[in-house]
Amino acid sequence: MLSLVSSFLFAVLTNRLLLIDQGDDVAALLCEPFPDTTWALPLDFPLRNQFERFDSNHPHCYGNMMKNKTVELSMDDSSPPPFVFLNLVHDYNEHDKRFFCDRDQSIMKEVPWLLIRSNQYFIPSLFLMPLFEKELSKLFPEKETVFHHLGRYLVHPSNQVWGLITRYYETYLAESDERIGIQIRDFSSTGLPFQSSKELPFTYMMDRILDCSAQENLLPRVITNAQNSVLNATRNTKTKSVLVTSLSSWYFEKLRNMYRDNPTITGESVTVFQPSHEESQQSNNAQHDMKALAEIYLLSLMDELITSPWSTFGYVAQGLGGLRPWILSNPLSEMDSDSPCRRATSMEPCFHYPPSYGCGAKTGIDTGARVQYVRHCEDISWGIKLF
């Protein structure tokens, strides 16, 4: 979803049509966004059966062509190649990153077909290109609303997914006075691995969630059994619903049992829900992906969000909902361990792997310090996002 939105904006800026390879399940997930036409790449597209072979070493990969000078491209070339592959996946190399240079964009505009593969939200680097600066300023005077507007314009859940969203929301969440979303993703890269035979990583993450929610007045603390004799007589009729999204049911069960078995200090009623717990990620499984998309949208409908660092799942939810979440801290690397969480200063997703070299420069540059509205992400020191 992040790379789809990024590719759409690039198509708008370069006056191109956008077609997407729908793979096995896109049609089951998303509705067509454009009336009276389609964004689906035709099944008989000549290169479609070659897509899996495209990588940074492919002869038609733009970075590889520039590295090896196998094809001399120029702005006045009268016979450009029929297509060029643009490798914008997270492990792309410095030659691939020339995509973000004005001169290379001027070369690419002569190529009829640009084939993009990406798993990144690369829009922040488009804002650093002088070629697009004027048009982007007109389109988005408020820089931190880019994904919010484009995502809501482009990404419409299919009828089946929308049914999952609306039924769950109306059944469990609609009547609450306040709704809190907690999105939990344990990456090995955050130092909090999901798969573990011990409870320590889970317990640690739960402590962070509880401390964050109490510190920021998102959820009340509970009165334990030992304290029941000093219960405050005042009653608070306010109700809060907590939506937990995680591959594991562990967090949900702990939260549910805690609020079910103990009164809260404030007297508020807190009910905890979890739509699914698939236990492991199942890539290219349509049913699994439909549940995931439904839960992203449910999170976007919350009043407040607590999210995991690094997580694109959380990024999409906050962007669609126009929310600035509380990001759980990761004391092992990126974030301040003295605080359980910190408030995001922008609702925009993070571009995890931006170029580290300037166009024509032979030394590294700090892409998060070039302009005021593109800065480093709260949860990844080398990533950049719009503010």
Side-chain angles (χ1 to χ4, degrees):
M1 291 168 71
L2 294 171
S3 58
L4 175 60
V5 167
S6 301
S7 300
F8 173 71
L9 181 56
F10 172 69
V12 170
L13 292 170
T14 56
N15 198 30
R16 288 180 177 269
L17 301 178
L18 174 71
L19 295 172
I20 64 171
D21 176 23
Q22 297 201 88
D24 297 327
D25 62 359
V26 172
L29 295 171
L30 302 175
C31 291
E32 293 273 1
F34 308 115
D36 303 320
T37 187
T38 182
W39 65 358
L41 187 71
L43 295 178
D44 59 354
F45 184 68
L47 299 173
R48 198 168 185 272
N49 61 355
Q50 302 179 38
F51 285 167
E52 293 303 316
R53 297 200 292 271
F54 287 138
D55 58 21
S56 59
N57 296 315
H58 193 278
H60 279 85
C61 176
Y62 183 79
N64 194 42
M65 294 165 75
M66 294 297 99
K67 173 186 175 182
N68 298 325
K69 296 182 171 56
T70 54
V71 176
E72 289 296 330
L73 297 175
S74 65
M75 286 177 280
D76 57 357
D77 193 338
S78 58
S79 57
F83 74 94
V84 163
F85 169 63
L86 300 171
N87 178 42
L88 302 181
V89 181
H90 65 278
D91 59 354
Y92 61 163
N93 59 45
E94 296 305 320
H95 300 286
D96 296 323
K97 294 173 185 177
R98 289 176 61 169
F99 170 84
F100 297 106
C101 296
D102 280 6
R103 179 184 179 276
D104 293 82
Q105 283 296 326
S106 298
I107 294 170
M108 289 178 209
K109 74 178 183 181
E110 304 301 327
V111 180
W113 290 92
L114 298 180
L115 311 180
I116 297 177
R117 175 178 288 135
S118 179
N119 60 359
Q120 296 291 298
Y121 181 68
F122 56 81
I123 285 177
S125 283
L126 299 180
F127 274 81
L128 295 176
M129 298 175 64
L131 180 66
F132 301 139
E133 184 178 8
K134 185 177 180 180
E135 187 66 22
L136 286 170
S137 294
K138 291 178 182 178
L139 288 170
F140 303 103
E142 294 184 58
K143 302 293 190 296
E144 74 162 313
T145 64
V146 176
F147 183 82
H148 180 66
H149 290 307
L150 292 181
R152 290 166 71 94
Y153 175 72
L154 266 189
V155 185
H156 302 280
S158 65
N159 290 343
Q160 190 171 353
V161 175
W162 190 243
L164 295 175
I165 297 165
T166 55
R167 286 192 298 273
Y168 198 92
Y169 184 87
E170 291 166 1
T171 302
Y172 299 109
L173 304 168
E175 298 303 318
S176 295
D177 296 316
E178 188 175 8
R179 289 159 288 273
I180 311 297
I182 302 177
Q183 180 265 327
I184 304 166
R185 174 72 170 186
D186 293 344
F187 291 105
S188 58
S189 54
T190 64
L192 299 170
F194 175 76
Q195 296 293 349
S196 174
S197 59
K198 302 177 182 178
E199 280 199 349
L200 179 61
F202 296 94
T203 303
Y204 182 87
M205 189 74 147
M206 179 60 76
D207 289 343
R208 289 265 147 176
I209 293 168
L210 294 176
D211 290 344
C212 175
S213 59
Q215 174 183 293
E216 305 304 336
N217 296 315
L218 300 175
L219 292 172
R221 294 193 184 275
V222 298
I223 302 172
T224 61
N225 290 333
Q227 299 169 308
N228 279 342
S229 60
V230 292
L231 268 173
N232 193 325
T234 58
R235 294 289 298 163
N236 187 333
T237 59
K238 185 175 183 179
T239 60
K240 290 190 174 185
S241 289
V242 179
L243 177 76
V244 176
T245 64
S246 172
L247 289 170
S248 169
S249 62
W250 190 91
Y251 303 98
F252 158 71
E253 291 168 357
K254 292 293 183 182
L255 278 171
R256 179 200 59 191
N257 295 348
M258 184 181 77
Y259 283 112
R260 182 193 62 194
D261 300 340
N262 303 283
T264 63
I265 289 176
T266 60
E268 296 169 294
S269 173
V270 178
T271 311
V272 185
F273 303 98
Q274 182 176 22
S276 72
H277 50 90
E278 300 282 280
E279 303 306 327
S280 63
Q281 185 164 319
Q282 302 167 34
S283 299
N284 301 317
N285 179 315
Q287 292 298 316
H288 178 83
D289 290 342
M290 290 168 71
K291 292 177 184 178
L293 182 57
E295 291 179 25
I296 287 174
Y297 266 86
L298 284 169
L299 286 172
S300 77
L301 299 174
M302 299 299 100
D303 299 304
E304 299 285 353
L305 269 185
I306 297 174
T307 62
S308 301
W310 287 65
S311 177
T312 54
F313 197 102
Y315 293 163
V316 174
Q318 74 194 41
L320 291 174
L323 301 167
R324 291 191 297 119
W326 299 95
I327 308 172
L328 294 170
S329 298
N330 174 16
L332 299 182
S333 57
E334 294 302 314
M335 301 173 70
D336 181 8
S337 61
D338 293 333
S339 178
C341 61
R342 62 184 291 189
R343 189 76 182 269
T345 49
S346 164
M347 69 179 80
E348 274 288 294
C350 178
F351 182 8
H352 285 176
Y353 296 99
S356 56
Y357 283 77
C359 298
K362 295 183 179 180
T363 58
I365 59 169
D366 185 353
T367 52
R370 288 176 56 186
V371 295
Q372 185 179 7
Y373 50 83
V374 179
R375 303 201 296 274
H376 289 295
C377 308
E378 298 91 349
D379 53 340
I380 304 178
S381 61
W382 59 85
I384 58 175
K385 64 187 288 188
L386 290 161
F387 290 83

